[in-house]
Amino acid sequence: MTLYPEPRNEVARLAAVKSYKLLDSLPEREYNDIAKIAAIICDVPISTIALLDESRKWHKAKYGIDKDSVPRSVAICSYTILDETPLVVPDTKKHEIFCDIGMVTDPPHVRAYAGIPLIDDNGYALGTLCVIDLVPRNWASSQIETLCALGRQIIALFNLRKAYLLLEAQRQELEFLNYQARQENSKLKELSKLDELTGALNRRGLNLGIEWMLEKFKENPVPFSLLIIDIDHFKQFNDTFGHLEGTEY
């Protein structure tokens, strides 16, 4: 039994979170800027952009705190992802659930909270954009509306990342297919120089070999020779005994 509530679609939600390949990624300025803007607009000391996996609230961006993650069991954001609407708590000490949650009873001693669920195009709450104050406060409707707008921008950044990853995977696959095609073409090019039946150089192979030797001769005029062997009446032998016998011969 978990120490925090889970959305009804938790298994599919977790799969959606992992599909963006953001968990434990390096900090990025775009997300850090949004976290800072959220804190400034709401006039609070702390804000985060977080993803929630099986056990953590992991911070993709953070402002005013140092921790990269906290357990879901102590995070108010574990409740924010249960609904599609913002979760606003003016005073956690007066809230029947949050008065005893770890983020309130322990540092940073959250006293006021406003969180926006980050919901992707398929309806999965991937995480939150939240702002935190250390004293009780009432949130203006314009501040909550602005947080919602910033949340939509975060989802847009998530989608851009997923699109980039898809394009990169397609590029790598195309590069591999081109490599395979070059390898096959190289094999076919070599085979085109050989007689299919005997494996010896055919006329094309001989011509290419002679051209190569002539080019080498221009660079380094060392004498070379060409030996041609002709078998008398070989066609007559093939006509009499068959081409298979001629090949063995």
Side-chain angles (χ1 to χ4, degrees):
M1 181 177 179
T2 59
L3 299 175
Y4 52 85
E6 291 183 348
R8 292 188 300 273
N9 59 1
E10 178 69 354
V11 174
R13 189 196 70 82
L14 288 172
V17 170
K18 293 176 182 179
S19 71
Y20 288 85
K21 301 186 185 302
L22 276 161
L23 288 168
D24 299 308
S25 59
L26 294 174
E28 296 178 65
R29 182 173 181 177
E30 293 83 354
Y31 297 100
N32 291 333
D33 285 348
I34 292 177
K36 183 176 181 179
I37 290 169
I40 292 172
I41 288 173
C42 295
D43 191 24
V44 297
I46 299 172
S47 65
T48 66
I49 297 171
L51 295 170
L52 279 79
D53 64 10
E54 292 90 343
S55 60
R56 302 177 297 166
K57 174 200 172 195
W58 177 78
H59 300 141
K60 175 57 184 172
K62 54 189 185 292
Y63 178 85
I65 59 173
D66 295 326
K67 288 185 176 181
D68 292 327
S69 67
V70 296
R72 279 178 69 173
S73 59
V74 304
I76 298 176
C77 290
S78 295
Y79 293 81
T80 307
I81 63 171
L82 299 178
D83 202 345
E84 296 182 357
T85 57
L87 176 59
V88 180
V89 185
D91 189 347
T92 58
K93 292 289 187 180
K94 296 180 180 180
H95 196 281
E96 60 181 355
I97 296 176
F98 302 138
C99 63
D100 294 323
I101 202 167
M103 293 291 288
V104 174
T105 59
D106 301 317
H109 298 293
V110 175
R111 194 66 187 272
Y113 171 95
I116 308 299
L118 301 176
I119 300 174
D120 72 2
D121 296 340
N122 294 314
Y124 297 117
L126 308 174
T128 62
L129 166 64
C130 74
V131 292
I132 293 169
D133 208 338
L134 305 183
V135 296
R137 65 175 301 158
N138 290 312
W139 306 91
S141 59
S142 60
Q143 291 173 319
I144 301 302
E145 289 173 3
T146 302
L147 289 179
C148 290
L150 291 175
R152 290 191 290 272
Q153 294 305 307
I154 294 169
I155 289 295
L157 287 175
F158 286 178
N159 289 336
L160 283 174
R161 177 185 178 86
K162 181 175 275 190
Y164 169 78
L165 292 175
L166 177 61
L167 287 173
E168 180 62 17
Q170 291 174 341
R171 184 194 67 79
Q172 291 181 4
E173 182 180 5
L174 182 59
E175 190 175 89
F176 177 69
L177 290 174
N178 284 336
Y179 169 77
Q180 286 185 316
R182 289 194 299 270
Q183 293 294 100
E184 291 299 319
N185 287 337
S186 178
K187 291 178 182 178
L188 290 174
K189 187 176 180 181
E190 290 302 313
L191 289 174
S192 71
K193 303 174 186 178
L194 304 177
D195 179 76
E196 182 179 356
L197 192 61
T198 63
L201 287 175
N202 58 21
R203 181 166 183 169
R204 180 175 183 276
L206 286 171
N207 287 339
L208 289 173
I210 293 171
E211 289 176 6
W212 181 80
M213 289 298 297
L214 289 174
E215 288 298 320
K216 286 293 182 180
F217 182 78
K218 292 177 182 178
E219 299 173 5
N220 185 23
V222 176
F224 70 93
S225 61
L226 174 65
L227 178 64
I228 298 177
I229 300 176
D230 189 19
I231 303 176
D232 291 337
H233 311 299
F234 189 61
K235 182 179 183 304
Q236 182 179 348
F237 184 92
N238 280 340
D239 292 341
T240 303
F241 301 102
H243 288 279
L244 289 177
E245 287 295 328
T247 301
E248 292 295 326
Y249 179 79

